[in-house]
Every structure is written in structure tokens, then in C-alpha cells.
Amino acid sequence: MDGPEPDETRDTAPSPADVEDPDAVDADTGEGELERTIGLAGGLAIGIGTMIGAGIFVFPGLAAENAGPAAAASFAIGAVVALLVALPAAELATAMPRSGGGYFFISRGLGTGPGAVVGLGLWLGLVFASAFYLVGLGSYAGQVFLEAGIALPVDPAVPLGVAFGVGLTALSVFGTENTAALQNAIVIVLLVILTLFLSYGSLDALGVFGAESTPERFFPPGGALPVLQTAALVFTSYLGFAQVATVAGDIKEPSRNLPLAMVGSVVVVGVFYVVTIFVATSAFGSARLGEFGETAMVEVAREFVGFPGALAIVIAGLLATFSSANASILSASRAVYAVSRDDLIPEAASRVNLAYGTPHVALGLAGGPIVVLAATGQVELLAEVASFLHLVMYGLLCVALVRLRREQPDWYAPAFRCPAGVPVAAVGGVASFALIAFMQPASIGVGVAIMVAAYGWYRYYATDVELRGDF
């Protein structure tokens, strides 16, 4: 990679691999040549594992209540928008294989101001997403008590979600050596359970066996508007594809495997989501499905195969929401570390625990707000604000590609080039920003307030920082 090297004067947070292997190369500084160890299967596991999580178990009831059977179209719209961003993101990732993902691409492609808004927004976007996942985790943990016949005096979703948030944040301080292996194992178990369940449910819905049902009106009374509003809500389900970009420097044959992993993970997860809504709304009417709330999929499984099916989905839901929450808490702390490394927030945020090699201050800055937001229990607000902040990042990411394609700086030499790059990025950017318009006013208000606060912080603290082209 040609280009200027950054003047790093502070200590950087070593990954667990770096702690164990003193000869490992730091992907953040760009010194030396990265050892590429992740193949296509590994890249797909990262993307699918992050996206197949909480959304597929938490959203079906909420989505069906809002958009009826057409909620399947809402998930399809989200997948299309994600695909339009995944291709430009893959090009930028092979040109700038550094941690920080979309924040890094935007700060180096568009400059410090947009980078600060996106970097701080990414931190808080992941905070909102993590809180959403934790409420879902609490809901499925509470379902365990219900399946065991234990009546609780209060809804346990929020208290259990808060408890898991505290526990996962504390656990992250002590190292993440086994995170990748655990994530891969969870992905395999989830895909097996979901494939068996959805195959059975699809055959039943198509009338191969089981009782026939009268098809429900596909579009809700409001027409396309509820479908687009639901697409904006459930877009949180597709945030994980960008995680593949954060390990671009470790991907084998990045010009081939990186775009395949990013696009492939969106396609696989999109198909699972669409089929899930089809199966769920065939088991119950969308109105009744919405009454089941965050654990609607448990009742769908119970309808098809009784208690064993319900138990399998409870286990899968626990694994999925746990995986999503854990990955998002770690990603949120990494976002804090990235902006601190670039001097956009005080250097103290990137301090490393010498005993465990983890950025404990960044984990606190991520975990603390996550626990507070999870305590609100506002599932839809948490999901939409997370989607809002990520859609802003994705839109600006597309703008960054257009700008870099037109200016062609010497350091910009991607191993993969997005086909029809400028038109694809233009459509992806417009689609990302347009989807925001269909969110609830409260979600838009919170998102805008966060962006204004982030820009205000940049004007106060970091106007003398120049990041464009520096990596």
C-alpha cells in the first residue's frame, strides 16, 4: 500500500493475537505486511454471524404488526439498500485496510468534519443497536422461565437485558481470545436450526402438509408507506455486513473474497429474513403475530411442531441475541478507540489494560450508555436510531467513493473496484438517505441531535486535526 504513514505517538490497543504473538503486525499502524488468514468462508461467517442474530428473532412480530405479510418486502428493501452499499464499501476496504470501517473510509476520503460526525455517530449507533439486542436477549431469557412454567411478577426482558449488558461489558475487559471461535460455532448452530425450521414451515405454508389457510391480504391498508416505514425500522438487521470491511487487511485474495463475503452475507441473511416472515405470517395472521411481540418466533415454532420446536427457537434466539449483543458491544468500544486514536476525543479513551490487552476505558464508554439505554426498553426507538446513524454513515461512504473515484489520489489503489462504481455508489447513497425519511419523527429527532452534538464537539475539540488522505 502506497501512501503516507501516520505519525503515531500514543500507545495503541493490541488485539488478543498481538498480545500472544509479539511479532504480529499492527493493522492500525499499517507497518509491515498483514498476514492474510481469513478466507471466503471466514468472511461470510463474520457477516452472517453479525446479521443473522437478533433481527430474525426479535423483528418478525413487530414487522408483521406494522406491515402485515408485506413485511417480507420490507426486509427485501433493506437487503437491496445494503447491497448497494456493500459493493462501494468493499472497494474502499481494499484501498484502506484499517480498523474503523466506514468511519475510517469517510474521514480519509471526505475529511475530519464528516469523519467526526460519522465516528461519534457510529459509536452511539452501535450503542443503540447493542441496547436493542440486549432487550431482545432479555426477552428470550425471560421466555426460558415461561417455558419452565415459572411465573415472574414483572416482565423480565429489561432487567435481564441490563444484567447481560453489565456482564458482557465486564467479560470483554478480560480479553476476547475465544470470540471468533465462539462466533463461528454460534453461526453454525443457528443456520442448522433455522434451515430445518424454515424448511418445515415453508412446506407447511405452501400446503405440502398441514392445514390450508386463507391467504392474507399482502399489503396493509396504508399501501406502500407502512412497508417503507418497516424497512427503515428493520434495517438494523443489516448493519453487520460492514463488519467484514474492518478485517479487510486479513482477508485472503481481497479483490475476490472481500466483495463476495460482503455481498454474499447480505444475500444469505436477506433470504432467511424474507422466508422467516413468509413462514411466520402463514402460521398466524399478522395482527395476532404482532401480539406476541419480541418472542413471536417461539409461538410460530410451537404452532408447527409443539414444545420441541418452541424450545429449539428459544435456544436459537438466546444464541443469536447473545452473539449480536456481544459483537456490538465490542464494535462500539472499537469505534471509541478509533476516534480516540485519531485525536477526535481525548487520548485517555484509547488506554489499554496492561494485564488483559483490552481498551478498558473504551469498553466503559460503550458499555455504560448501552446499559442505560437498555433500561428504557424502547425496542423500536433503539432500533430506528441505530438504523438512522448507520444509514448516514452508509450514505457518506458512498459519497466518499464517488469523490475518490473522481479525484484519483496517488494513494488510492483498491484491489477490488466496484462495477459501475460511481452510479452504484450514487444510487446507494440516495437510497440510504431516502430510507431515513420513513422513520418515526422521534427517531429522526434523536439521530439529528446526535449528529449536531458530534459536529459541535468537532468544532470545539478537533478543528486542527487533519485526517483526509492520512492512513
Side-chain angles (χ1 to χ4, degrees), residues 195-219:
T195 299
L196 292 174
F197 166 66
L198 294 177
S199 296
Y200 183 97
S202 296
L203 291 173
D204 183 277
L206 294 171
V208 176
F209 48 78
E212 294 185 4
S213 58
T214 303
E216 188 179 355
R217 177 180 175 182
F218 185 74
F219 283 101

Side-chain angles (χ1 to χ4, degrees), residues 97-366:
R98 300 287 187 272
S99 63
Y103 154 70
F104 193 93
F105 308 151
I106 291 165
S107 62
R108 270 56 180 182
L110 298 180
T112 308
V117 171
V118 167
L120 297 174
L122 175 61
W123 162 26
L124 294 173
L126 288 167
V127 163
F128 275 86
S130 301
F132 161 69
Y133 297 145
L134 285 172
V135 175
L137 175 57
S139 297
Y140 274 87
Q143 190 69 27
V144 173
F145 292 96
L146 294 179
E147 297 300 326
I150 301 174
L152 298 176
V154 296
D155 185 350
V158 171
L160 288 174
V162 169
F164 277 114
V166 173
L168 287 173
T169 302
L171 184 64
S172 298
V173 173
F174 298 104
T176 57
E177 289 87 347
N178 297 318
T179 298
L182 176 63
Q183 185 80 354
N184 289 343
I186 289 175
V187 171
I188 292 171
V189 173
L190 284 177
L191 291 180
V192 169
I193 293 175
L194 287 172
T195 299
L196 292 174
F197 166 66
L198 294 177
S199 296
Y200 183 97
S202 296
L203 291 173
D204 183 277
L206 294 171
V208 176
F209 48 78
E212 294 185 4
S213 58
T214 303
E216 188 179 355
R217 177 180 175 182
F218 185 74
F219 283 101
L225 181 59
V227 177
L228 293 170
Q229 291 173 331
T230 304
L233 169 66
V234 303
F235 191 77
T236 313
S237 305
Y238 293 104
L239 303 186
F241 74 88
Q243 296 299 323
V244 182
T246 65
V247 295
D250 302 295
I251 298 284
K252 300 176 183 176
E253 300 181 57
S255 61
R256 171 184 176 273
N257 290 336
L258 188 61
L260 285 177
M262 296 178 73
V263 172
S265 60
V266 172
V267 171
V268 170
V269 172
V271 169
F272 269 99
Y273 281 139
V274 171
V275 175
T276 296
I277 293 297
F278 170 72
V279 169
T281 53
S282 73
F284 302 102
S286 56
R288 188 181 176 199
L289 190 66
E291 294 174 359
F292 295 131
E294 288 82 10
T295 55
M297 291 305 296
V298 177
E299 302 309 318
V300 174
R302 196 191 315 276
E303 178 72 10
F304 285 133
V305 289
F307 177 75
L311 181 61
I313 291 300
V314 168
I315 294 172
L318 281 170
L319 289 173
T321 50
F322 178 90
S323 173
S324 294
N326 184 51
S328 295
I329 289 171
L330 291 173
S331 296
S333 68
R334 190 57 173 170
V336 175
Y337 171 77
V339 294
S340 174
R341 179 196 61 200
D342 283 341
D343 295 319
L344 297 182
I345 62 175
E347 181 181 356
S350 60
R351 287 178 182 169
V352 176
N353 184 297
L354 297 180
Y356 302 106
T358 54
H360 59 289
V361 176
L363 281 164
L365 290 172

Side-chain angles (χ1 to χ4, degrees), residues 4-20:
E5 297 294 333
D7 181 15
E8 298 283 0
T9 58
R10 72 182 62 173
D11 292 332
T12 55
S15 68
D18 294 333
V19 174
E20 297 174 359

